[in-house]
Amino acid sequence: MTQRILILAGDGIGPEITAEAVKILKLLQTRWNLDIALDFGLIGGCAYDATGVPLPKETLELAQHADAILLGAVGGPQWESLDIKVRPEKGLLGIRSALGLFANLRPAILYPQLAAASTLKPEVVSNLDIMIVRELTGGIYFSQPRGIRQTDTGEREGFNTLVYRESEIRRIAKVAFTTAMERDSRLCSVDKANVLEATEFWREIITDVAKDFPKVKLSHMYVDNAAMQLVRNPKQFDVMVTTNMFGDILSDCAAMLTGSIGMLPSASLNEQGKGMYEPIHGSAPDIAGKGIANPLATILSVAMMLRYSLDMPKYAQRIEEAVGIVLAQGLRTSDIYAPNTTEVSTDTMGDAVVAALTNVDYSS
Ligand code: IPM
Ligand code: MG
């Protein structure tokens, strides 16, 4: 049966990087006859400009019918002064919520070829391989009430709410423990249980779910300490599980350990295993349109899609190997450039991955 993939390029560098990922998807169609069909839709600032909302109804319908979604990035300075309800980011949060994409997997893997690109000492980050499991549809990002209001004294105040229901914690815990089982069976749950009741409760439920996974070694860490430990000794971590906002912050930190946020893909999955795949870097408006953005995170997002949503791990691995080949050839976009390597443009990098996939003989 045809698998429908919805491409949402979005804003900033989104169109440039997804164009390279589409080259890979087309190669899968032509070289390996994979039965996939591509649809395209608008999200974010470009959707607002075209339709007045960041998540048009047509996009949501396409997303609901898709087997998997590939997203570039959303946002940019030209939309920052809009009402928060129609800002590009609302499009992204809206699609995550509407599709129930509660489990966000953010791997931070250091490619050995890029060890020098990290700002940390090579011995601290060599062979780094962490998986951050971020809760994505609850917590302070979505809880009500929220807003900006006038108090009785006439002063204005901004307020948000942090709620986690037991079922929300249980289902993300299950994903995290299962992920740990497939790796080194170590799970660190990150909270602020010393201050926030919602995360005191988080710790209680995670501890309870652990009983179903006796092989996994569970630890707990406060988020401030976790941020410090990520920079001090990141290799102590295998899988980390945390709330929506802490995961947002820690995943950027973990990403930078690997040298370039431009290298890292992510998967956001719902209870049916349907997923949206996106690079974890943003829309990078400062370099948009220059043809210098790194397309590898988006290409690696296609690999994650093949693995988690389309059940084609063999092709996922081929793409990951092809990325390794182009790095070994010394090709670098500007974000990962180092002396004695060759700086290339976004589309040259994409073409190189296509060439690597085309040239390898997979018959044996
Ligand atoms: C991310 C981003 C988003 C988030 C923004 C763009 C809404 O930072 O995916 O990490 O905060 O979740
Ligand atoms: Mg973020």
Side-chain angles (χ1 to χ4, degrees):
M1 222 179 71
T2 306
Q3 310 257 28
R4 300 211 75 88
I5 299 170
L6 174 62
I7 313 286
L8 301 174
D11 309 319
I13 59 171
E16 299 161 57
I17 54 178
T18 46
E20 302 312 311
V22 166
K23 286 181 188 166
I24 307 291
L25 288 165
K26 293 208 162 134
L27 186 77
L28 293 173
Q29 286 172 317
T30 53
R31 176 155 192 214
W32 288 299
N33 295 320
L34 297 194
D35 192 4
I36 52 179
L38 306 184
D39 295 313
F40 294 83
L42 293 174
I43 194 166
C46 62
Y48 173 81
D49 289 344
T51 70
V53 288
L55 179 59
K57 216 170 80 232
E58 305 82 71
T59 299
L60 197 52
E61 269 162 24
L62 283 170
Q64 266 145 357
H65 289 112
D67 295 290
I69 301 156
L70 183 72
L71 183 122
V74 299
Q78 64 268 54
W79 300 290
E80 265 165 24
S81 55
L82 289 178
D83 186 289
I84 195 168
K85 293 194 180 69
V86 290
R87 263 184 233 159
E89 290 76 10
K90 276 287 171 200
L92 181 56
L93 297 174
I95 196 168
R96 285 175 181 169
S97 181
L99 299 179
L101 305 170
F102 71 96
N104 185 210
L105 306 183
R106 297 191 164 190
I109 296 169
L110 184 90
Y111 280 80
Q113 300 91 333
L114 296 183
S118 176
T119 45
L120 272 73
K121 296 195 194 95
E123 63 269 25
V124 176
V125 291
S126 62
N127 302 315
L128 185 79
D129 181 352
I130 299 175
M131 177 70 90
I132 295 190
V133 179
R134 169 188 176 194
E135 200 291 324
L136 202 61
T137 52
I140 199 165
Y141 269 54
F142 289 95
S143 306
Q144 295 290 343
R146 60 193 297 149
I148 298 172
R149 66 190 166 198
Q150 193 97 25
T151 66
D152 296 344
T153 62
E155 191 186 14
R156 293 200 315 145
E157 64 183 12
F159 61 104
N160 288 90
T161 306
L162 171 58
V163 175
Y164 266 114
R165 291 193 308 276
E166 183 170 341
S167 55
E168 288 178 300
I169 305 171
R170 281 193 186 279
R171 68 179 180 177
I172 194 70
K174 245 185 232 159
V175 172
F177 279 102
T178 309
T179 304
M181 293 279 286
E182 289 159 4
R183 297 170 45 106
D184 198 32
S185 294
R186 289 179 293 125
L187 177 63
C188 179
S189 172
V190 177
D191 60 40
K192 190 72 186 173
N194 50 344
V195 177
L196 303 173
E197 289 83 351
T199 69
E200 185 188 6
F201 183 57
W202 170 281
R203 189 179 284 216
E204 178 192 322
I205 301 304
I206 298 273
T207 307
D208 191 52
V209 175
K211 293 179 194 146
D212 297 334
F213 297 88
K215 292 210 179 97
V216 176
K217 195 171 170 319
L218 173 67
S219 60
H220 302 275
M221 208 179 264
Y222 298 139
V223 62
D224 48 350
N225 186 24
M228 183 183 76
Q229 295 299 337
L230 266 177
V231 183
R232 193 183 74 90
N233 175 20
K235 283 191 267 180
Q236 70 185 282
F237 297 112
D238 176 24
V239 180
M240 302 174 92
V241 62
T242 191
T243 63
N244 203 341
M245 187 161 74
F246 295 164
D248 178 44
I249 298 165
L250 293 180
S251 61
D252 268 27
C253 179
M256 200 53 220
L257 300 174
T258 70
S260 174
I261 200 165
M263 290 298 300
L264 299 179
S266 77
S268 305
L269 306 172
N270 71 11
E271 290 189 69
Q272 289 75 44
K274 174 152 153 178
M276 184 162 83
Y277 298 82
E278 53 181 307
I280 84 152
H281 59 69
S283 58
D286 53 322
I287 59 163
K290 295 191 179 157
I292 61 170
N294 187 344
L296 294 178
T298 318
I299 289 171
L300 290 166
S301 297
V302 171
M304 277 191 106
M305 173 189 289
L306 291 163
R307 179 169 290 121
Y308 288 102
S309 283
L310 305 183
D311 197 22
M312 301 178 187
K314 184 171 84 185
Y315 297 103
Q317 200 184 333
R318 287 181 185 179
I319 292 172
E320 286 158 358
E321 283 166 6
V323 168
I325 291 171
V326 301
L327 292 175
Q329 288 165 347
L331 304 185
R332 303 283 188 273
T333 43
S334 63
D335 57 313
I336 49 176
Y337 178 75
N340 303 318
T341 62
T342 311
E343 188 168 338
V344 296
S345 63
T346 308
D347 68 326
T348 303
M349 186 61 109
D351 290 342
V353 179
V354 169
L357 279 167
T358 311
N359 294 339
V360 174
D361 177 7
Y362 294 103
S363 55
S364 57

